[in-house]
Amino acid sequence: MTDTPIRRRRPSLASSLARVRRLPAWSALAAGLLAGGLCGGAYGLLTPPVYTATSYVVAVPTDKAASEAARGFAQAYGRVATQLAVLGDAQVWAGVPVRTLRD
């Protein structure tokens, strides 16, 4: 019996490349999909959700209405959108302070 340990040969770079060349062509696509899915899932779980929205209101008078009516509608919308009753509901859904919504 000998006390000499058995040496294992490391695979050479050429044999590793040959092994990669034997893989099917679609394996790179599968590996990319798997890596992208794992990275995207980790990003989705680790990043806090942030929602933003922008809205615009255009008030245009009809042919029979005066142009002052459109300005009145726009001013009324601006007053209603910043009222506490509207911002209070928006605060509950958005989870941010009213001051942030008002700004």
Side-chain angles (χ1 to χ4, degrees):
M1 186 177 265
T2 64
D3 291 332
T4 307
I6 300 173
R7 290 188 180 185
R8 294 186 184 192
R9 293 180 53 190
R10 284 185 165 176
S12 67
L13 182 60
S15 66
S16 297
L17 289 175
R19 193 176 304 144
V20 169
R21 286 187 187 125
R22 282 184 271 162
L23 291 173
W26 55 266
S27 63
L29 178 64
L33 284 172
L34 181 65
L38 290 174
C39 290
Y43 178 80
L45 290 174
L46 299 175
T47 305
V50 176
Y51 303 99
T52 58
T54 304
S55 64
Y56 299 95
V57 174
V58 178
V60 181
T62 60
D63 293 335
K64 297 179 182 178
S67 62
E68 294 299 319
R71 183 180 304 152
F73 286 130
Q75 288 175 347
Y77 176 78
R79 286 187 204 112
V80 169
T82 58
Q83 287 181 352
L84 188 57
V86 175
L87 291 176
D89 289 341
Q91 176 191 14
V92 171
W93 289 99
V96 295
V98 174
R99 179 183 234 66
T100 303
L101 293 173
R102 190 173 291 138
D103 291 343

